[in-house]
Amino acid sequence: MFDALTERLGGVFDKLTGRGVLSEKDVDAALREIRVALLEADVALPVVKDVVAKIRERAVGEDVIRAVAPGQQVVKIVHDALVDLLGGEGEQPGLMVEGEPPVAILMAGLQGSGKTTTSAKLAKRLQDVHKKKVLLASLDTRRPAAMEQLQQLAGQVGVGFLPIMANQRAVDIAKRAMNAGKLQGYDVVILDTAGRTSIDEDMMAEAKSIADVTRPRETLLVADALTGQDAVETAKRFHERLPLTGLVLTRMDGDGRGGAALSMRHVTGLPIKFLGVSEKPDGLDAFDAKRLAGRILGR
Amino acid sequence: FTKRKLDAAALEELEDALIAADLGAPAAARVTERLARDRFDREVTDEEVRAALADVVSETLMPLQCDLDVTGMSPQVVVFVGVNGSGKTTTLGKIAVKLKREGRNPLLAAGDTFRAAAIEQVSVWGERAGAPVIKREIGADAAGLAFDALETAERDGHDVVLIDTAGRLQNKAELMDELRKVIRVIKKKMPEAPHHVVLVLDGTVGSNAVSQAEAFLEAANVTGVVMTKLDGTAKGGALVQVAEKFRLPIHYIGIGEGEEDLQPFSARDFSRALAGLED
Ligand SMILES: Nc1nc2c(ncn2[C@@H]2O[C@H](COP(=O)(O)OP(=O)(O)OP(=O)(O)O)[C@@H](O)[C@H]2O)c(=O)[nH]1
Ligand SMILES: Nc1nc2c(ncn2[C@@H]2O[C@H](COP(=O)(O)OP(=O)(O)OP(=O)(O)O)[C@@H](O)[C@H]2O)c(=O)[nH]1
Ligand SMILES: [K+]
Ligand SMILES: [Mg+2]
Ligand SMILES: [Mg+2]
């Protein structure tokens, strides 16, 4: 279990066999290994520091000091701390789509993070599982063929698609989408937006205006699970500007350890609502804190 | 400037800054140690420390700074590979625009026959560049399409063929096999091709970049790297991890979504930005 961390800690505790009691110095050595293990899993440094501090608090207790197998015990403490930080065990909050229809869901994030694909996945899920009538609308006036991409995906999953009109600004498309949603009896309107960097002032202002005029029930930050240290900066900046309600981490089907999910969750406090696990429209998993904690620790 | 001693605390701050730039803990420690060895116990300004830091990183990258050379025997074949959404198609489009401006006659191949509207996306870039695009319907065989593109290039006298491929995660064996097949078919048609296989890395990527480089090297014999999205908050230090490990030439960086947002890779500028220096 948790091979990467167990191996690292093995070295620390091997030297202890025969002594049986953990000193504060031993705990320090273990914490150094935990720090490296978390960094290797791409957890962002400020988050690593918080996590290690939290683990120190728990580990310096007498339990560990008297433990028979201190390595195992420390691994368990780390694992449990991560599960806590990821939102704890059990059901995560689902999508909030109740309320007076049409309910808006706004998708936001960096370029290429998976917003358009995830929009289609959510539409499919809302239609198939929640029996909602869903309209997909592309507000991406920038990326070549972005609107056609969402249009084709809408066709694939069999949900509504707001017709493309040339030369309309994103905010105006958003208004048109909400209007069409109302007139045509849609329950949910999913607004896919263009990718943007968090320091592109004009684009961030645009996103804010879209949120202002559509009052989304959910504003989801879609991020790549393979993201490195930038996870903290991006999550913070999007969270400052938009009324974010949750996170979606895509490309969890890769071989990354997924530290970005922990980083983003930790700096925003937002629930991770879904994980993207394939390119296909059904490749969307519910989030499971225990599974992700295990993965970060290198299971 | 306020001078301070490069003591243990200062060095730890530096190491942290490098880790936060995605250099990875081992490389960050190595760079910091080098710095400590050279200038420990001297009074230095923050600016001086950063400059020295940039120098150490630049040492690794400088030998890898390298143009994408498509001046050889015509047609020169360039294949773009990488994980999903890294910026392959956009980079291909920017390079097409640039080549066209330089008086070259590129042909584009819409080799991503999988993702929705991938073909339309390349087509828009073809229009922007004023270059023709070879395409087939969605779901078509990507290797067959590459073969078509080479035939067309020979027939119509194109001097560069830029082949797009679908994004694929490096741990998907089936998709990596499909890429192997694309390369194999290109070779069959033209034994000296592809002249370049460019791995496109996302600037926001963390340590997974190393696993990406390893797998795409093995499957497609990558010859060079481009890193995109360096116009955001990410510093792109994963490139240093890849450089240290695989010594791959680095051609360009992407700094935006527009035609002009492609810069030849400069080891000096990249390292200075990484170290938090303006230019
Ligand atoms: N393997 C895998 N690929 C994914 C996943 N989610 C999205 N993708 C792929 O990632 C690439 C980018 O996805 P898009 O949905 O176009 O991303 P986007 O955020 O809309 O991109 P922009 O609109 O350009 O900012 C595409 O190749 C998708 O097929 C996922 O969970 N797993
Ligand atoms: N800010 C910024 N965005 C970029 C850059 N390069 C590409 N992009 C954007 O990133 C997104 C994905 O780029 P694509 O070129 O479609 O990536 P891809 O690798 O072809 O994606 P798939 O074919 O889906 O795997 C698009 O929105 C691009 O406009 C860059 O250097 N900076
Ligand atoms: K990405
Ligand atoms: Mg999109
Ligand atoms: Mg592409």
Side-chain angles (χ1 to χ4, degrees):
Chain A
M1 245 215 309
F2 319 130
D3 299 334
L5 183 62
T6 306
E7 237 167 69
R8 288 204 160 276
L9 288 176
V12 175
F13 294 110
D14 279 353
K15 291 177 226 133
L16 299 178
T17 14
R19 262 205 291 149
V21 177
L22 272 190
S23 69
E24 192 142 343
K25 221 174 108 210
D26 299 325
V27 173
D28 280 340
L31 287 171
R32 272 197 296 280
E33 296 301 325
I34 293 166
R35 178 178 186 273
V36 177
L38 291 175
L39 284 173
E40 273 179 352
D42 280 331
V43 181
L45 185 61
V47 179
V48 171
K49 288 184 171 170
D50 284 357
V51 174
V52 168
K54 190 165 174 184
I55 292 168
R56 175 192 297 275
E57 241 169 64
R58 294 194 188 188
V60 173
E62 66 237 85
D63 289 0
V64 174
I65 311 240
R66 299 188 198 293
V68 189
Q72 285 306 315
Q73 186 113 357
V74 171
V75 169
K76 187 175 178 320
I77 289 174
V78 176
H79 175 257
D80 292 351
L82 291 193
V83 172
D84 271 2
L85 288 165
L86 286 166
E89 274 183 65
E91 280 288 293
Q92 301 291 317
L95 277 181
M96 299 182 287
V97 287
E98 302 314 323
E100 195 186 328
V103 166
I105 299 181
L106 179 60
M107 311 294 282
L110 297 179
Q111 285 92 349
S113 65
K115 297 172 293 299
T116 305
T117 309
T118 306
S119 298
K121 290 176 178 178
L122 288 177
K124 182 174 164 53
R125 171 177 293 248
L126 285 170
Q127 177 180 256
D128 295 356
V129 181
H130 301 268
K131 309 295 173 207
K132 299 284 181 193
K133 190 177 169 199
V134 185
L135 179 68
L136 279 170
S138 173
L139 280 49
D140 186 345
T141 58
R142 306 202 354 140
R143 168 173 168 169
M147 296 188 173
E148 289 77 4
Q149 184 187 357
L150 189 65
Q151 183 171 33
Q152 289 180 17
L153 292 172
Q156 275 178 37
V157 301
V159 299
F161 178 74
L162 183 78
I164 297 173
M165 273 173 60
N167 302 323
Q168 215 176 11
R169 291 181 320 139
V171 178
D172 296 325
I173 303 172
K175 289 182 193 156
R176 178 159 63 91
M178 295 315 291
N179 227 353
K182 195 177 214 163
L183 293 174
Q184 294 164 34
Y186 282 100
D187 301 312
V188 181
V189 178
I190 300 180
L191 305 162
D192 179 25
T193 65
R196 63 204 71 217
T197 66
S198 64
I199 50 174
D200 185 332
E201 203 24 63
D202 292 348
M203 289 298 284
M204 291 305 281
E206 180 201 83
K208 174 76 170 66
S209 315
I210 294 167
D212 287 345
V213 303
T214 58
R215 308 228 146 249
R217 217 39 229 290
E218 292 270 11
T219 302
L220 302 175
L221 178 65
V222 181
D224 185 342
L226 306 176
T227 306
Q229 298 285 317
D230 186 56
V232 159
E233 202 65 29
T234 289
K236 247 197 222 156
R237 288 169 180 272
F238 271 89
H239 197 39
E240 273 163 22
R241 296 299 293 275
L242 294 176
L244 294 184
T245 54
L247 308 169
V248 179
L249 273 298
T250 64
R251 299 200 258 282
M252 283 298 283
D253 48 331
D255 61 5
R257 299 261 293 279
L262 176 62
S263 301
M264 291 187 148
R265 156 86 211 189
H266 188 65
V267 298
T268 62
L270 292 167
I272 299 169
K273 296 233 164 172
F274 295 103
L275 302 176
V277 292
S278 92
E279 298 186 64
K280 309 234 170 70
D282 58 358
L284 195 66
D285 276 3
F287 175 71
D288 178 339
K290 270 179 91 170
R291 250 174 73 193
L292 185 63
R295 182 161 167 168
I296 288 172
L297 296 180
R299 192 200 302 251
Chain B
F1 291 119
T2 55
K3 295 206 173 222
R4 71 185 277 198
K5 256 214 183 103
L6 199 53
D7 54 13
L11 285 169
E12 197 183 306
E13 257 175 55
L14 279 177
E15 191 173 333
D16 281 2
L18 290 176
I19 290 172
D22 278 313
L23 219 69
R30 266 200 305 284
V31 170
T32 315
E33 260 160 43
R34 262 285 306 277
L35 210 63
R37 205 178 339 122
D38 297 350
R39 7 211 132 195
F40 203 78
D41 240 27
R42 262 179 45 199
E43 296 267 311
V44 282
T45 64
D46 183 52
E47 191 87 358
E48 283 170 330
V49 179
R50 285 176 192 274
L53 199 68
D55 284 346
V56 176
V57 175
S58 188
E59 251 173 59
T60 306
L61 297 177
M62 196 60 87
L64 303 173
Q65 177 182 313
C66 173
D67 283 349
L68 180 70
D69 181 8
V70 286
T71 56
M73 269 263 286
S74 249
Q76 290 279 304
V77 179
V78 188
V79 182
F80 294 81
V81 302
V83 297
N84 307 85
S86 65
K88 296 173 292 299
T89 307
T90 306
T91 302
L92 175 152
K94 291 174 184 174
I95 290 174
V97 170
K98 181 175 182 294
L99 288 172
K100 191 70 188 186
R101 279 192 197 149
E102 292 166 359
R104 304 292 299 270
N105 183 16
L107 175 71
L108 278 46
D112 179 355
T113 52
F114 176 77
R115 210 208 61 220
I119 300 164
E120 289 83 347
Q121 188 185 3
V122 183
S123 300
V124 173
W125 278 105
E127 277 163 33
R128 287 182 181 174
V133 180
I134 297 294
K135 42 191 152 180
R136 285 186 180 184
E137 72 286 5
I138 195 158
D141 175 37
L145 182 123
F147 188 91
D148 283 358
L150 297 192
E151 279 207 319
T152 306
E154 282 178 335
R155 192 189 62 220
D156 297 349
H158 290 281
D159 52 6
V160 187
V161 186
L162 304 175
I163 301 178
D164 195 17
T165 63
R168 68 199 78 225
L169 293 173
Q170 71 275 16
N171 59 333
K172 308 232 158 152
E174 206 179 302
L175 297 181
M176 295 306 274
D177 280 344
E178 184 193 277
L179 182 61
R180 282 191 189 86
K181 184 176 158 203
V182 171
I183 304 287
R184 209 162 54 232
V185 167
I186 290 174
K187 274 208 183 314
K188 207 160 174 188
K189 171 82 185 135
M190 207 179 279
E192 64 281 13
H195 303 82
H196 298 279
V197 178
V198 177
L199 173 66
V200 180
L201 291 175
D202 189 320
T204 64
V205 72
S207 63
N208 196 250
V210 174
S211 148
Q212 290 173 24
E214 187 166 28
F216 279 99
L217 252 171
E218 189 273 319
N221 219 341
V222 168
T223 58
V225 179
V226 171
M227 182 169 258
T228 64
K229 307 185 195 176
L230 291 178
D231 48 320
T233 46
K235 293 275 206 275
L239 188 59
V240 181
Q241 299 192 49
V242 169
E244 281 196 340
K245 191 131 196 216
F246 305 106
R247 306 270 154 209
L248 283 164
I250 308 166
H251 302 309
Y252 288 107
I253 59 164
I255 50 161
E257 299 181 78
E259 300 176 13
E260 320 273 343
D261 297 327
L262 185 75
Q263 279 180 359
F265 176 71
S266 156
R268 177 184 178 275
D269 294 352
F270 181 89
S271 307
R272 288 177 65 83
L274 197 79
L277 290 163
E278 277 311 310
D279 52 56

